[in-house]
Amino acid sequence: MKAKSYYINTYGCQMNVHESEKMGGILSDRGFIQADSIEEANIIIYNTCCVRNTAETKVFGHLGRAKKLKELNKDIKIILCGCMSQQEGEAQNIIKKYPFIDIIIGTHNIMMLGDYLDKTKFIEVWKEAKIDREIDIKPRRERSVNAWINIMYGCNNFCSYCIVPFVRGRERSRGANEILDEIKNVLDNGYNEITLLGQNVNSYKYEDIDFKSLLEKIRDIKGKFRLKFLSSHPKDLSLDVIKIISETDNFSKNIHLPIQAGSDRILLLMNRGYMIKDYLNKVDIMKKFMPDLGLSTDIMVGFPSETEEEFLDTMNLINQVKFDNIFSFIYNRRSGTVADKMSGQISREIKIDRIQRLIKKQNEIGGQKAKECVDKKFEVLVEFQKGNKCIGKTDNGKPVSFESEDNVFNKFVDIKIIETKNTGLIGKPI
C-alpha cells in the first residue's frame, strides 16, 4: 500500500468526473498520491450519482469490496459523497446500512474534503451551496486531451423526472474572468480541447455577462484549440449563440441538444418547456448555419403513461432529424420528483422493448451517416494512441480510427475517410 494514497470511484455524468478531479486536487495538495488500484489506497472515495438508477445500484454493489478491505486494515478511510448522499435523509440511511463508511458529505461541500480527513463517523451535508468555496479548488486533471471546466452549477428547470435541482441546488454561475483564466491555464498546460460544463450552459449569467458574451470572450483567446460545452437546453439555445458557434473556427460544430421524447404531451408532462416544433425549428436553424453539424441528443423511453403511439412519435422524430448520436435511457423512478407520483407507470418489459427498438433504428441511421463520410476529409483531434493505433474525433464529433507511425496524440491531424465499421469511421492521414 502506498503511503498517503487515494482512489476515487466516479459514477454518473461529466460533472461528477470533474468533481473527482477537484477532490484529487485537494488530496494532492495535502501530500496524497493517486493509487493505481483500490487495494493500494489509504483513502477510498465513492463519488456517487442518483440521477439514474443504474449508477446508484453500482455504488451499492461496489461498497462490498471496500468493506472487505476495511476488515483487513481498519486504518483505511472510506468516504461517500455526491448526489446520492445529498438526497433528504439518505446519508443517515446509508450509514445505518453501511456502518463501515467513515465520512459522508454532499455535493455542496466536497471542497471541504481536506478539512474532514481526520474525522471518523462523520456526516455533513450542506443544504445550500457556497459558490465562493466551490470554485476555489485546483483540480488534478488526468493527462489527456480534454479539460473540463465548470461555468455554472445547479439547475432551475425542475423537469418532472429529474432529481438534479434537489441535489445540486439552484443555478449559480462562476465569474467570467475566473473561467477565462482557467481556460488560458489549461491551454498553457497543453490541453487542446476544453469542455464547458453546466446543467444548462445556456442559462449562464454572471453580472451583465450571459452565455453569448462569455463565448465572445473565449473567441478572443489566441491559439488553436477546440471548445465544446455540455449541456444545452432546447428552450434556451439562442440564435446568437448558434451564430457565434458557426462563425468561430475554435468552436466545435458538435452540439448536444436533449429532446427526451417525440410527443408534445409527454414533453408537457416532463415540464421541458418546449414543443416538438420548437425543437425542430432550432435544428433547422443550426443546420442552416452549420451544414456539417454533428447533433446528438438524449431520449428517455417509458415515461409514465407513454403510449405505443407516442413512442412511435419518438421513432419518427429520430428518423426525421437523423441524429449523429443518441444517448438513450429507460425512465427510472426517482423519489422526490413529480414523475414518481404519476399514474401510468410503464412495465420494465415494455421499456426494454422500446429502447431496443430505438437503439436498432439509431444504429441504422448512424451506419448510413457514416457511409456518407467516405472519401471526405476531416480534421481530427487525436484522443488515444497506442503504437500505431489512433482514435480521435472530428470537429463535428464523429469518431475516427486510423494508423500513424508518428506521435500524434493530442494533435490535430488531417484525415481522409476510406471505409466504415458499423457507425465508426476508418481513415488515413493525408
Side-chain angles (χ1 to χ4, degrees), residues 98-109:
Y98 303 94
F100 55 88
I101 296 176
D102 296 288
I103 297 172
I104 298 181
I105 56 180
T107 60
H108 299 321
N109 59 327

Side-chain angles (χ1 to χ4, degrees), residues 195-207:
T195 304
L196 306 180
L197 291 178
Q199 301 297 341
N200 177 15
V201 292
N202 306 121
S203 294
Y204 175 84
K205 181 72 175 177
Y206 187 84
E207 295 178 347

Side-chain angles (χ1 to χ4, degrees), residues 70-86:
K70 183 84 168 179
E71 289 170 348
L72 294 172
N73 182 359
K74 63 180 179 60
D75 293 329
I76 288 175
K77 185 149 290 185
I78 299 173
I79 301 172
L80 188 140
C81 61
C83 293
M84 188 188 300
S85 53
Q86 192 70 42

Side-chain angles (χ1 to χ4, degrees), residues 153-184:
Y153 305 85
C155 184
N156 291 351
N157 287 312
F158 288 93
C159 298
S160 64
Y161 54 82
C162 187
I163 198 72
V164 167
F166 303 101
V167 296
R168 292 272 179 193
R170 304 302 292 270
E171 290 176 356
R172 51 210 186 276
S173 297
R174 293 179 62 189
N177 289 336
E178 293 161 351
I179 295 168
L180 294 170
D181 287 345
E182 188 172 358
I183 291 173
K184 293 172 184 176

